[in-house]
Amino acid sequence: MIKKQKDNSAIFGLIFTISSTVFIIALGIPFFTEPRLKNGLYHAGVDSMGSLFCAALFFGCMKQNGNGISALRNLIVLVSACFAVNEATYYTLGVPDWSTICFVLCLISKLLDLVMIYLFYSYVKDTLGFKGKLAKLAKKVIPVLLVFETLVLLSNIFYPTTFYFDAAGMYHSSAFSLAEDIYLVATSVLTAILIIMSHNPRNQKAAALTFILFPLIEYAFWGGQFGNSAQYGTVLMSMIIMYCVIFIDKSKKLASTQTDLRIASKIQADALPPTAPEFEDFPKLILRGCMNTAKEVGGDFYDYFPIDENHFCFLIADVSGKGTPAALFMMTAKTMIKDYALTKDTTSEIFTAVNARLCENNDEGMFATAWIGILDTRTMTLRYTNAGHNYPILQRKGQPCELMEKSHGLFLAGMEFTRYKQSEIMLEPGDRLLLYTDGVTEAHDRRKMLYGIERLKKVLENSKDAPGEKVLENILDDISVFADGVAQYDDITMVVLTIKE
């Protein structure tokens, strides 16, 4: 099976939060010894404790998945950065020679605040699911306001638009400092309305609103004084509340859904035939199959079963889409094909009947490519029909692989009145036939190059003396080597038929 690609961003985020924690603690040591820093002991303590909480919180959600988790991780990183910048600013405040450094740190802190507000909006948008006209308006307005506020802050480099530092290294607000609050107020109000309007439990709404209300109360209480560590501490406490209430609640629902999917996956696996069956009445046939789904449940399927004492049916199919809808359609199609295979005389009649049934009430427009073959074991005549599926690979004894390039009609559930055709070939002892879905040939590597039919044929030729199960294993291993860690995108399903010599 193809290995999943690792998410390195979470690891880098954890490294950053831990590094900033070490930096803050190291920088906080002089606060105990230098007289000018002693009045900042409280702020240094808030920064240190806050950064430790950031590291712990980030570690707690590092391996979590779900809506909004990426924005939450980034939010934690930003808060950690704010604590670090705040600590560095306190260390330099009141030193006249370092007024430029104070200005730079202050500017960085204010820019981080803007991004932090945007990330909070992104987090609650993803977790609570904002909808409606106001949500569409916010999606357009908030990024524009973010750019506007960023330009306002950057203008301080050339002119003291909203703040400045005097010769003594002390912070002062300018006449237009209210311009800094436009983004804060507009985003907060819009987000708060969207949170209240969202269709979520009250405890989730209340948890999300803490991020807006707590910092605003603290901001009003302290008069927005720059360098107040408590504002970042308040933001962090709000984030912890959100994490505990919203995300853990979402995680419980996600865990319940994953349990349901695991059960569905087990049911789907049980519906498929054994991967290495033994048919006592057909000793000349060796059939092996496998299916590796890209999600918990998949849309591919295969089947093989005797029709009577002289005829044996085997097939493969690939349903459009992925996940649960595809799996449900797959179960329906598989059942229909087997039912009609036991009652119809030809493969063309089987697919014609199945197609007509699948087209009924197919409002979602789902479809399936499929290939079916019925082998007469007395004459070794294989009659088959291809409904828009990948061409099987025929490997005759002592000869190179060849494609069975016959297509007998549109995919199943495409058009109601499609009539399919049938072809036939003779099989000999030692011949081998490989059926596969496009998850095999369309597997791709880091350069977006496809695995392709030629590489598949080469593996098959190199495995000519191997048993069927080893052939499938060799193909899966070669796909994994080719993909080089790229996550599996599509279901990978194969069936190999070998005629005993």
Side-chain angles (χ1 to χ4, degrees), residues 1-5 265 290-297 439 443 472-494:
M1 189 170 180
I2 297 176
K3 298 175 183 176
K4 291 186 178 180
Q5 196 172 15
S265 178
C290 71
M291 182 174 77
N292 290 345
T293 59
K295 294 187 175 182
E296 287 83 354
V297 290
L472 299 181
E473 183 182 331
N474 290 346
I475 294 171
L476 291 173
D477 288 345
D478 193 60
I479 293 173
S480 183
V481 170
F482 172 81
D484 190 25
V486 175
Q488 181 179 332
Y489 174 75
D490 200 358
D491 301 336
I492 293 177
T493 305
M494 293 180 285

Side-chain angles (χ1 to χ4, degrees), residues 107-126:
L107 183 61
I108 292 173
S109 178
K110 289 176 179 290
L111 290 171
L112 290 176
D113 286 346
L114 296 183
V115 181
M116 197 162 60
I117 295 167
Y118 180 77
L119 284 174
F120 165 72
Y121 160 75
S122 301
Y123 170 62
V124 290
K125 174 176 67 69
D126 292 339

